[in-house]
PDB file of all heavy atoms in Angstrom:
ATOM      1  N   LYS A  29     -13.246 -18.864  -1.065  1.00 91.00           N
ATOM      2  CA  LYS A  29     -13.612 -17.837  -0.070  1.00 91.00           C
ATOM      3  C   LYS A  29     -12.505 -17.691   0.987  1.00 91.00           C
ATOM      4  O   LYS A  29     -12.123 -16.582   1.345  1.00 91.00           O
ATOM      5  CB  LYS A  29     -14.935 -18.191   0.592  1.00 91.00           C
ATOM      6  CG  LYS A  29     -15.396 -17.149   1.588  1.00 91.00           C
ATOM      7  CD  LYS A  29     -16.710 -17.518   2.221  1.00 91.00           C
ATOM      8  CE  LYS A  29     -17.082 -16.467   3.244  1.00 91.00           C
ATOM      9  NZ  LYS A  29     -18.305 -16.813   3.959  1.00 91.00           N
ATOM     10  N   GLU A  30     -11.984 -18.805   1.454  1.00 93.00           N
ATOM     11  CA  GLU A  30     -10.900 -18.778   2.438  1.00 93.00           C
ATOM     12  C   GLU A  30      -9.640 -18.150   1.846  1.00 93.00           C
ATOM     13  O   GLU A  30      -8.922 -17.425   2.532  1.00 93.00           O
ATOM     14  CB  GLU A  30     -10.591 -20.190   2.938  1.00 93.00           C
ATOM     15  CG  GLU A  30     -11.661 -20.775   3.816  1.00 93.00           C
ATOM     16  CD  GLU A  30     -11.416 -22.244   4.122  1.00 93.00           C
ATOM     17  OE1 GLU A  30     -10.556 -22.885   3.458  1.00 93.00           O
ATOM     18  OE2 GLU A  30     -12.089 -22.759   5.026  1.00 93.00           O
ATOM     19  N   PHE A  31      -9.381 -18.449   0.579  1.00 93.00           N
ATOM     20  CA  PHE A  31      -8.212 -17.892  -0.097  1.00 93.00           C
ATOM     21  C   PHE A  31      -8.279 -16.362  -0.114  1.00 93.00           C
ATOM     22  O   PHE A  31      -7.325 -15.680   0.243  1.00 93.00           O
ATOM     23  CB  PHE A  31      -8.137 -18.448  -1.530  1.00 93.00           C
ATOM     24  CG  PHE A  31      -6.985 -17.914  -2.328  1.00 93.00           C
ATOM     25  CD1 PHE A  31      -5.704 -18.398  -2.131  1.00 93.00           C
ATOM     26  CD2 PHE A  31      -7.185 -16.926  -3.286  1.00 93.00           C
ATOM     27  CE1 PHE A  31      -4.632 -17.911  -2.873  1.00 93.00           C
ATOM     28  CE2 PHE A  31      -6.132 -16.437  -4.040  1.00 93.00           C
ATOM     29  CZ  PHE A  31      -4.852 -16.935  -3.831  1.00 93.00           C
ATOM     30  N   PHE A  32      -9.434 -15.819  -0.531  1.00 94.00           N
ATOM     31  CA  PHE A  32      -9.590 -14.372  -0.589  1.00 94.00           C
ATOM     32  C   PHE A  32      -9.617 -13.741   0.795  1.00 94.00           C
ATOM     33  O   PHE A  32      -9.058 -12.665   1.003  1.00 94.00           O
ATOM     34  CB  PHE A  32     -10.844 -13.988  -1.389  1.00 94.00           C
ATOM     35  CG  PHE A  32     -10.648 -14.109  -2.863  1.00 94.00           C
ATOM     36  CD1 PHE A  32     -11.116 -15.214  -3.553  1.00 94.00           C
ATOM     37  CD2 PHE A  32      -9.974 -13.127  -3.575  1.00 94.00           C
ATOM     38  CE1 PHE A  32     -10.926 -15.339  -4.921  1.00 94.00           C
ATOM     39  CE2 PHE A  32      -9.765 -13.243  -4.945  1.00 94.00           C
ATOM     40  CZ  PHE A  32     -10.250 -14.352  -5.620  1.00 94.00           C
ATOM     41  N   THR A  33     -10.225 -14.408   1.762  1.00 94.00           N
ATOM     42  CA  THR A  33     -10.251 -13.908   3.137  1.00 94.00           C
ATOM     43  C   THR A  33      -8.835 -13.864   3.706  1.00 94.00           C
ATOM     44  O   THR A  33      -8.443 -12.881   4.346  1.00 94.00           O
ATOM     45  CB  THR A  33     -11.151 -14.800   4.024  1.00 94.00           C
ATOM     46  OG1 THR A  33     -12.467 -14.806   3.473  1.00 94.00           O
ATOM     47  CG2 THR A  33     -11.198 -14.286   5.453  1.00 94.00           C
ATOM     48  N   ASP A  34      -8.073 -14.911   3.464  1.00 95.00           N
ATOM     49  CA  ASP A  34      -6.688 -14.966   3.931  1.00 95.00           C
ATOM     50  C   ASP A  34      -5.835 -13.883   3.250  1.00 95.00           C
ATOM     51  O   ASP A  34      -4.997 -13.242   3.890  1.00 95.00           O
ATOM     52  CB  ASP A  34      -6.113 -16.360   3.666  1.00 95.00           C
ATOM     53  CG  ASP A  34      -4.872 -16.642   4.482  1.00 95.00           C
ATOM     54  OD1 ASP A  34      -4.769 -16.129   5.614  1.00 95.00           O
ATOM     55  OD2 ASP A  34      -3.993 -17.371   3.975  1.00 95.00           O
ATOM     56  N   ALA A  35      -6.068 -13.670   1.951  1.00 95.00           N
ATOM     57  CA  ALA A  35      -5.335 -12.623   1.228  1.00 95.00           C
ATOM     58  C   ALA A  35      -5.662 -11.255   1.816  1.00 95.00           C
ATOM     59  O   ALA A  35      -4.777 -10.418   2.000  1.00 95.00           O
ATOM     60  CB  ALA A  35      -5.681 -12.669  -0.261  1.00 95.00           C
ATOM     61  N   TRP A  36      -6.937 -11.027   2.114  1.00 96.00           N
ATOM     62  CA  TRP A  36      -7.342  -9.729   2.688  1.00 96.00           C
ATOM     63  C   TRP A  36      -6.681  -9.517   4.049  1.00 96.00           C
ATOM     64  O   TRP A  36      -6.203  -8.437   4.355  1.00 96.00           O
ATOM     65  CB  TRP A  36      -8.871  -9.652   2.789  1.00 96.00           C
ATOM     66  CG  TRP A  36      -9.321  -8.338   3.313  1.00 96.00           C
ATOM     67  CD1 TRP A  36      -9.810  -8.071   4.560  1.00 96.00           C
ATOM     68  CD2 TRP A  36      -9.288  -7.083   2.631  1.00 96.00           C
ATOM     69  NE1 TRP A  36     -10.078  -6.734   4.681  1.00 96.00           N
ATOM     70  CE2 TRP A  36      -9.780  -6.103   3.515  1.00 96.00           C
ATOM     71  CE3 TRP A  36      -8.889  -6.698   1.352  1.00 96.00           C
ATOM     72  CZ2 TRP A  36      -9.882  -4.765   3.163  1.00 96.00           C
ATOM     73  CZ3 TRP A  36      -8.995  -5.364   1.005  1.00 96.00           C
ATOM     74  CH2 TRP A  36      -9.488  -4.415   1.901  1.00 96.00           C
ATOM     75  N   ARG A  37      -6.626 -10.567   4.878  1.00 96.00           N
ATOM     76  CA  ARG A  37      -5.963 -10.465   6.186  1.00 96.00           C
ATOM     77  C   ARG A  37      -4.473 -10.145   6.020  1.00 96.00           C
ATOM     78  O   ARG A  37      -3.913  -9.348   6.759  1.00 96.00           O
ATOM     79  CB  ARG A  37      -6.117 -11.768   6.972  1.00 96.00           C
ATOM     80  CG  ARG A  37      -7.367 -11.816   7.790  1.00 96.00           C
ATOM     81  CD  ARG A  37      -7.316 -12.978   8.797  1.00 96.00           C
ATOM     82  NE  ARG A  37      -8.578 -13.684   8.692  1.00 96.00           N
ATOM     83  CZ  ARG A  37      -8.745 -14.896   8.187  1.00 96.00           C
ATOM     84  NH1 ARG A  37      -7.723 -15.607   7.771  1.00 96.00           N
ATOM     85  NH2 ARG A  37      -9.934 -15.449   8.125  1.00 96.00           N
ATOM     86  N   SER A  38      -3.850 -10.775   5.047  1.00 95.00           N
ATOM     87  CA  SER A  38      -2.430 -10.516   4.786  1.00 95.00           C
ATOM     88  C   SER A  38      -2.213  -9.089   4.320  1.00 95.00           C
ATOM     89  O   SER A  38      -1.250  -8.433   4.722  1.00 95.00           O
ATOM     90  CB  SER A  38      -1.896 -11.496   3.730  1.00 95.00           C
ATOM     91  OG  SER A  38      -1.972 -12.813   4.209  1.00 95.00           O
ATOM     92  N   LEU A  39      -3.116  -8.586   3.499  1.00 96.00           N
ATOM     93  CA  LEU A  39      -3.018  -7.195   3.055  1.00 96.00           C
ATOM     94  C   LEU A  39      -3.158  -6.251   4.248  1.00 96.00           C
ATOM     95  O   LEU A  39      -2.426  -5.258   4.344  1.00 96.00           O
ATOM     96  CB  LEU A  39      -4.079  -6.894   2.002  1.00 96.00           C
ATOM     97  CG  LEU A  39      -4.097  -5.469   1.450  1.00 96.00           C
ATOM     98  CD1 LEU A  39      -2.758  -5.105   0.810  1.00 96.00           C
ATOM     99  CD2 LEU A  39      -5.236  -5.318   0.437  1.00 96.00           C
ATOM    100  N   GLN A  40      -4.051  -6.566   5.159  1.00 96.00           N
ATOM    101  CA  GLN A  40      -4.218  -5.737   6.354  1.00 96.00           C
ATOM    102  C   GLN A  40      -2.946  -5.751   7.207  1.00 96.00           C
ATOM    103  O   GLN A  40      -2.569  -4.740   7.794  1.00 96.00           O
ATOM    104  CB  GLN A  40      -5.415  -6.226   7.181  1.00 96.00           C
ATOM    105  CG  GLN A  40      -6.749  -6.048   6.503  1.00 96.00           C
ATOM    106  CD  GLN A  40      -7.006  -4.610   6.115  1.00 96.00           C
ATOM    107  OE1 GLN A  40      -6.938  -3.708   6.938  1.00 96.00           O
ATOM    108  NE2 GLN A  40      -7.278  -4.389   4.839  1.00 96.00           N
ATOM    109  N   GLU A  41      -2.280  -6.886   7.232  1.00 93.00           N
ATOM    110  CA  GLU A  41      -1.031  -7.014   7.983  1.00 93.00           C
ATOM    111  C   GLU A  41       0.068  -6.122   7.390  1.00 93.00           C
ATOM    112  O   GLU A  41       0.898  -5.579   8.117  1.00 93.00           O
ATOM    113  CB  GLU A  41      -0.593  -8.485   7.964  1.00 93.00           C
ATOM    114  CG  GLU A  41       0.551  -8.814   8.873  1.00 93.00           C
ATOM    115  CD  GLU A  41       0.883 -10.303   8.839  1.00 93.00           C
ATOM    116  OE1 GLU A  41      -0.018 -11.138   8.592  1.00 93.00           O
ATOM    117  OE2 GLU A  41       2.067 -10.626   9.058  1.00 93.00           O
ATOM    118  N   ALA A  42       0.047  -5.967   6.082  1.00 95.00           N
ATOM    119  CA  ALA A  42       1.091  -5.190   5.392  1.00 95.00           C
ATOM    120  C   ALA A  42       0.643  -3.775   5.044  1.00 95.00           C
ATOM    121  O   ALA A  42       1.375  -3.050   4.368  1.00 95.00           O
ATOM    122  CB  ALA A  42       1.493  -5.924   4.116  1.00 95.00           C
ATOM    123  N   LYS A  43      -0.520  -3.344   5.517  1.00 96.00           N
ATOM    124  CA  LYS A  43      -1.104  -2.080   5.058  1.00 96.00           C
ATOM    125  C   LYS A  43      -0.223  -0.860   5.292  1.00 96.00           C
ATOM    126  O   LYS A  43      -0.201   0.047   4.457  1.00 96.00           O
ATOM    127  CB  LYS A  43      -2.484  -1.858   5.671  1.00 96.00           C
ATOM    128  CG  LYS A  43      -2.479  -1.543   7.136  1.00 96.00           C
ATOM    129  CD  LYS A  43      -3.887  -1.355   7.670  1.00 96.00           C
ATOM    130  CE  LYS A  43      -3.799  -1.125   9.161  1.00 96.00           C
ATOM    131  NZ  LYS A  43      -5.113  -1.096   9.767  1.00 96.00           N
ATOM    132  N   ASN A  44       0.532  -0.821   6.376  1.00 96.00           N
ATOM    133  CA  ASN A  44       1.393   0.345   6.613  1.00 96.00           C
ATOM    134  C   ASN A  44       2.484   0.471   5.546  1.00 96.00           C
ATOM    135  O   ASN A  44       2.904   1.570   5.199  1.00 96.00           O
ATOM    136  CB  ASN A  44       2.008   0.299   8.011  1.00 96.00           C
ATOM    137  CG  ASN A  44       0.974   0.546   9.085  1.00 96.00           C
ATOM    138  OD1 ASN A  44      -0.062   1.166   8.840  1.00 96.00           O
ATOM    139  ND2 ASN A  44       1.233   0.048  10.278  1.00 96.00           N
ATOM    140  N   PHE A  45       2.903  -0.653   5.004  1.00 96.00           N
ATOM    141  CA  PHE A  45       3.907  -0.629   3.935  1.00 96.00           C
ATOM    142  C   PHE A  45       3.281  -0.201   2.607  1.00 96.00           C
ATOM    143  O   PHE A  45       3.938   0.427   1.784  1.00 96.00           O
ATOM    144  CB  PHE A  45       4.591  -1.992   3.828  1.00 96.00           C
ATOM    145  CG  PHE A  45       5.442  -2.302   5.030  1.00 96.00           C
ATOM    146  CD1 PHE A  45       4.902  -2.962   6.123  1.00 96.00           C
ATOM    147  CD2 PHE A  45       6.765  -1.903   5.076  1.00 96.00           C
ATOM    148  CE1 PHE A  45       5.671  -3.228   7.241  1.00 96.00           C
ATOM    149  CE2 PHE A  45       7.546  -2.161   6.193  1.00 96.00           C
ATOM    150  CZ  PHE A  45       7.000  -2.822   7.280  1.00 96.00           C
ATOM    151  N   VAL A  46       2.011  -0.541   2.423  1.00 97.00           N
ATOM    152  CA  VAL A  46       1.286  -0.068   1.237  1.00 97.00           C
ATOM    153  C   VAL A  46       1.135   1.454   1.338  1.00 97.00           C
ATOM    154  O   VAL A  46       1.337   2.169   0.348  1.00 97.00           O
ATOM    155  CB  VAL A  46      -0.084  -0.767   1.100  1.00 97.00           C
ATOM    156  CG1 VAL A  46      -0.887  -0.177  -0.060  1.00 97.00           C
ATOM    157  CG2 VAL A  46       0.101  -2.277   0.927  1.00 97.00           C
ATOM    158  N   TYR A  47       0.800   1.943   2.526  1.00 98.00           N
ATOM    159  CA  TYR A  47       0.710   3.395   2.734  1.00 98.00           C
ATOM    160  C   TYR A  47       2.059   4.064   2.484  1.00 98.00           C
ATOM    161  O   TYR A  47       2.126   5.140   1.893  1.00 98.00           O
ATOM    162  CB  TYR A  47       0.236   3.730   4.147  1.00 98.00           C
ATOM    163  CG  TYR A  47      -1.158   3.260   4.479  1.00 98.00           C
ATOM    164  CD1 TYR A  47      -1.487   2.890   5.775  1.00 98.00           C
ATOM    165  CD2 TYR A  47      -2.163   3.176   3.516  1.00 98.00           C
ATOM    166  CE1 TYR A  47      -2.765   2.465   6.107  1.00 98.00           C
ATOM    167  CE2 TYR A  47      -3.440   2.745   3.832  1.00 98.00           C
ATOM    168  CZ  TYR A  47      -3.729   2.391   5.136  1.00 98.00           C
ATOM    169  OH  TYR A  47      -5.000   1.965   5.459  1.00 98.00           O
ATOM    170  N   LEU A  48       3.125   3.413   2.933  1.00 97.00           N
ATOM    171  CA  LEU A  48       4.468   3.949   2.705  1.00 97.00           C
ATOM    172  C   LEU A  48       4.762   4.027   1.211  1.00 97.00           C
ATOM    173  O   LEU A  48       5.300   5.032   0.728  1.00 97.00           O
ATOM    174  CB  LEU A  48       5.521   3.076   3.404  1.00 97.00           C
ATOM    175  CG  LEU A  48       6.982   3.426   3.124  1.00 97.00           C
ATOM    176  CD1 LEU A  48       7.305   4.838   3.596  1.00 97.00           C
ATOM    177  CD2 LEU A  48       7.906   2.396   3.787  1.00 97.00           C
ATOM    178  N   SER A  49       4.381   3.008   0.453  1.00 97.00           N
ATOM    179  CA  SER A  49       4.633   3.036  -0.991  1.00 97.00           C
ATOM    180  C   SER A  49       3.837   4.164  -1.650  1.00 97.00           C
ATOM    181  O   SER A  49       4.341   4.834  -2.555  1.00 97.00           O
ATOM    182  CB  SER A  49       4.299   1.687  -1.635  1.00 97.00           C
ATOM    183  OG  SER A  49       2.911   1.473  -1.716  1.00 97.00           O
ATOM    184  N   ALA A  50       2.615   4.393  -1.189  1.00 97.00           N
ATOM    185  CA  ALA A  50       1.808   5.495  -1.734  1.00 97.00           C
ATOM    186  C   ALA A  50       2.448   6.839  -1.396  1.00 97.00           C
ATOM    187  O   ALA A  50       2.472   7.751  -2.229  1.00 97.00           O
ATOM    188  CB  ALA A  50       0.383   5.423  -1.196  1.00 97.00           C
ATOM    189  N   LEU A  51       2.997   6.946  -0.194  1.00 98.00           N
ATOM    190  CA  LEU A  51       3.685   8.182   0.200  1.00 98.00           C
ATOM    191  C   LEU A  51       4.933   8.404  -0.653  1.00 98.00           C
ATOM    192  O   LEU A  51       5.196   9.526  -1.100  1.00 98.00           O
ATOM    193  CB  LEU A  51       4.053   8.132   1.682  1.00 98.00           C
ATOM    194  CG  LEU A  51       4.794   9.344   2.237  1.00 98.00           C
ATOM    195  CD1 LEU A  51       3.913  10.593   2.146  1.00 98.00           C
ATOM    196  CD2 LEU A  51       5.214   9.090   3.675  1.00 98.00           C
ATOM    197  N   LEU A  52       5.695   7.352  -0.905  1.00 98.00           N
ATOM    198  CA  LEU A  52       6.880   7.469  -1.763  1.00 98.00           C
ATOM    199  C   LEU A  52       6.472   7.899  -3.172  1.00 98.00           C
ATOM    200  O   LEU A  52       7.137   8.730  -3.795  1.00 98.00           O
ATOM    201  CB  LEU A  52       7.640   6.138  -1.822  1.00 98.00           C
ATOM    202  CG  LEU A  52       8.331   5.698  -0.534  1.00 98.00           C
ATOM    203  CD1 LEU A  52       8.875   4.278  -0.670  1.00 98.00           C
ATOM    204  CD2 LEU A  52       9.428   6.670  -0.151  1.00 98.00           C
ATOM    205  N   PHE A  53       5.369   7.336  -3.672  1.00 96.00           N
ATOM    206  CA  PHE A  53       4.855   7.700  -4.986  1.00 96.00           C
ATOM    207  C   PHE A  53       4.476   9.191  -5.011  1.00 96.00           C
ATOM    208  O   PHE A  53       4.833   9.915  -5.942  1.00 96.00           O
ATOM    209  CB  PHE A  53       3.651   6.818  -5.332  1.00 96.00           C
ATOM    210  CG  PHE A  53       3.029   7.114  -6.663  1.00 96.00           C
ATOM    211  CD1 PHE A  53       3.676   6.772  -7.844  1.00 96.00           C
ATOM    212  CD2 PHE A  53       1.787   7.718  -6.748  1.00 96.00           C
ATOM    213  CE1 PHE A  53       3.093   7.031  -9.082  1.00 96.00           C
ATOM    214  CE2 PHE A  53       1.197   7.985  -7.974  1.00 96.00           C
ATOM    215  CZ  PHE A  53       1.854   7.639  -9.144  1.00 96.00           C
ATOM    216  N   LEU A  54       3.760   9.645  -3.985  1.00 95.00           N
ATOM    217  CA  LEU A  54       3.365  11.063  -3.910  1.00 95.00           C
ATOM    218  C   LEU A  54       4.582  11.980  -3.818  1.00 95.00           C
ATOM    219  O   LEU A  54       4.613  13.040  -4.467  1.00 95.00           O
ATOM    220  CB  LEU A  54       2.437  11.294  -2.719  1.00 95.00           C
ATOM    221  CG  LEU A  54       1.034  10.712  -2.855  1.00 95.00           C
ATOM    222  CD1 LEU A  54       0.261  10.855  -1.547  1.00 95.00           C
ATOM    223  CD2 LEU A  54       0.279  11.355  -4.001  1.00 95.00           C
ATOM    224  N   CYS A  55       5.579  11.582  -3.046  1.00 97.00           N
ATOM    225  CA  CYS A  55       6.816  12.374  -2.969  1.00 97.00           C
ATOM    226  C   CYS A  55       7.482  12.438  -4.340  1.00 97.00           C
ATOM    227  O   CYS A  55       8.002  13.489  -4.737  1.00 97.00           O
ATOM    228  CB  CYS A  55       7.773  11.773  -1.934  1.00 97.00           C
ATOM    229  SG  CYS A  55       7.243  11.994  -0.238  1.00 97.00           S
ATOM    230  N   GLY A  56       7.460  11.327  -5.051  1.00 95.00           N
ATOM    231  CA  GLY A  56       8.014  11.305  -6.404  1.00 95.00           C
ATOM    232  C   GLY A  56       7.266  12.256  -7.326  1.00 95.00           C
ATOM    233  O   GLY A  56       7.884  12.957  -8.140  1.00 95.00           O
ATOM    234  N   ILE A  57       5.942  12.310  -7.207  1.00 91.00           N
ATOM    235  CA  ILE A  57       5.140  13.229  -8.032  1.00 91.00           C
ATOM    236  C   ILE A  57       5.566  14.659  -7.780  1.00 91.00           C
ATOM    237  O   ILE A  57       5.809  15.429  -8.725  1.00 91.00           O
ATOM    238  CB  ILE A  57       3.625  13.058  -7.755  1.00 91.00           C
ATOM    239  CG1 ILE A  57       3.137  11.716  -8.282  1.00 91.00           C
ATOM    240  CG2 ILE A  57       2.830  14.201  -8.401  1.00 91.00           C
ATOM    241  CD1 ILE A  57       1.699  11.387  -7.897  1.00 91.00           C
ATOM    242  N   VAL A  58       5.678  15.031  -6.514  1.00 93.00           N
ATOM    243  CA  VAL A  58       6.087  16.397  -6.165  1.00 93.00           C
ATOM    244  C   VAL A  58       7.472  16.675  -6.727  1.00 93.00           C
ATOM    245  O   VAL A  58       7.712  17.724  -7.330  1.00 93.00           O
ATOM    246  CB  VAL A  58       6.046  16.612  -4.631  1.00 93.00           C
ATOM    247  CG1 VAL A  58       6.686  17.927  -4.240  1.00 93.00           C
ATOM    248  CG2 VAL A  58       4.617  16.524  -4.128  1.00 93.00           C
ATOM    249  N   PHE A  59       8.366  15.734  -6.549  1.00 93.00           N
ATOM    250  CA  PHE A  59       9.737  15.889  -7.052  1.00 93.00           C
ATOM    251  C   PHE A  59       9.733  16.063  -8.575  1.00 93.00           C
ATOM    252  O   PHE A  59      10.442  16.910  -9.119  1.00 93.00           O
ATOM    253  CB  PHE A  59      10.563  14.662  -6.633  1.00 93.00           C
ATOM    254  CG  PHE A  59      12.024  14.912  -6.565  1.00 93.00           C
ATOM    255  CD1 PHE A  59      12.582  15.687  -5.560  1.00 93.00           C
ATOM    256  CD2 PHE A  59      12.869  14.356  -7.508  1.00 93.00           C
ATOM    257  CE1 PHE A  59      13.946  15.904  -5.499  1.00 93.00           C
ATOM    258  CE2 PHE A  59      14.239  14.563  -7.463  1.00 93.00           C
ATOM    259  CZ  PHE A  59      14.775  15.348  -6.450  1.00 93.00           C
ATOM    260  N   GLY A  60       8.922  15.256  -9.274  1.00 90.00           N
ATOM    261  CA  GLY A  60       8.823  15.353 -10.728  1.00 90.00           C
ATOM    262  C   GLY A  60       8.239  16.672 -11.188  1.00 90.00           C
ATOM    263  O   GLY A  60       8.655  17.226 -12.203  1.00 90.00           O
ATOM    264  N   LEU A  61       7.273  17.196 -10.437  1.00 87.00           N
ATOM    265  CA  LEU A  61       6.672  18.488 -10.780  1.00 87.00           C
ATOM    266  C   LEU A  61       7.651  19.637 -10.559  1.00 87.00           C
ATOM    267  O   LEU A  61       7.719  20.567 -11.353  1.00 87.00           O
ATOM    268  CB  LEU A  61       5.405  18.728  -9.945  1.00 87.00           C
ATOM    269  CG  LEU A  61       4.166  17.942 -10.360  1.00 87.00           C
ATOM    270  CD1 LEU A  61       3.086  18.041  -9.291  1.00 87.00           C
ATOM    271  CD2 LEU A  61       3.646  18.421 -11.698  1.00 87.00           C
ATOM    272  N   VAL A  62       8.408  19.556  -9.470  1.00 90.00           N
ATOM    273  CA  VAL A  62       9.336  20.636  -9.117  1.00 90.00           C
ATOM    274  C   VAL A  62      10.582  20.615  -9.995  1.00 90.00           C
ATOM    275  O   VAL A  62      11.071  21.661 -10.417  1.00 90.00           O
ATOM    276  CB  VAL A  62       9.718  20.553  -7.620  1.00 90.00           C
ATOM    277  CG1 VAL A  62      10.806  21.546  -7.274  1.00 90.00           C
ATOM    278  CG2 VAL A  62       8.483  20.785  -6.743  1.00 90.00           C
ATOM    279  N   PHE A  63      11.091  19.443 -10.285  1.00 89.00           N
ATOM    280  CA  PHE A  63      12.347  19.322 -11.031  1.00 89.00           C
ATOM    281  C   PHE A  63      12.131  18.674 -12.398  1.00 89.00           C
ATOM    282  O   PHE A  63      12.911  17.813 -12.822  1.00 89.00           O
ATOM    283  CB  PHE A  63      13.364  18.510 -10.223  1.00 89.00           C
ATOM    284  CG  PHE A  63      13.703  19.121  -8.897  1.00 89.00           C
ATOM    285  CD1 PHE A  63      13.181  18.591  -7.723  1.00 89.00           C
ATOM    286  CD2 PHE A  63      14.524  20.233  -8.824  1.00 89.00           C
ATOM    287  CE1 PHE A  63      13.488  19.158  -6.496  1.00 89.00           C
ATOM    288  CE2 PHE A  63      14.825  20.809  -7.597  1.00 89.00           C
ATOM    289  CZ  PHE A  63      14.304  20.268  -6.428  1.00 89.00           C
TER     290      PHE A  63
END
C-alpha cells in the first residue's frame, strides 16, 4: 500500500511533464495528419 501511495505521489510530482508529453504527442498527430 505504501509503495503504491508513494508511486502515486511521485506521479503527481511529475504530472506537468506527463501533460507535456501528451501535448508533444498531440502535436505529432497534427503534424502527421498535415504532412
Side-chain angles (χ1 to χ4, degrees):
K29 182 180 178 184
E30 289 172 347
F31 179 78
F32 283 100
T33 301
D34 198 32
W36 182 254
R37 272 193 228 110
S38 297
L39 180 59
Q40 294 303 306
E41 189 178 331
K43 71 181 177 187
N44 290 336
F45 292 90
V46 175
Y47 296 148
L48 173 62
S49 73
L51 179 63
L52 291 172
F53 179 72
L54 289 173
C55 289
I57 291 173
V58 170
F59 204 72
L61 285 168
V62 173
F63 300 104

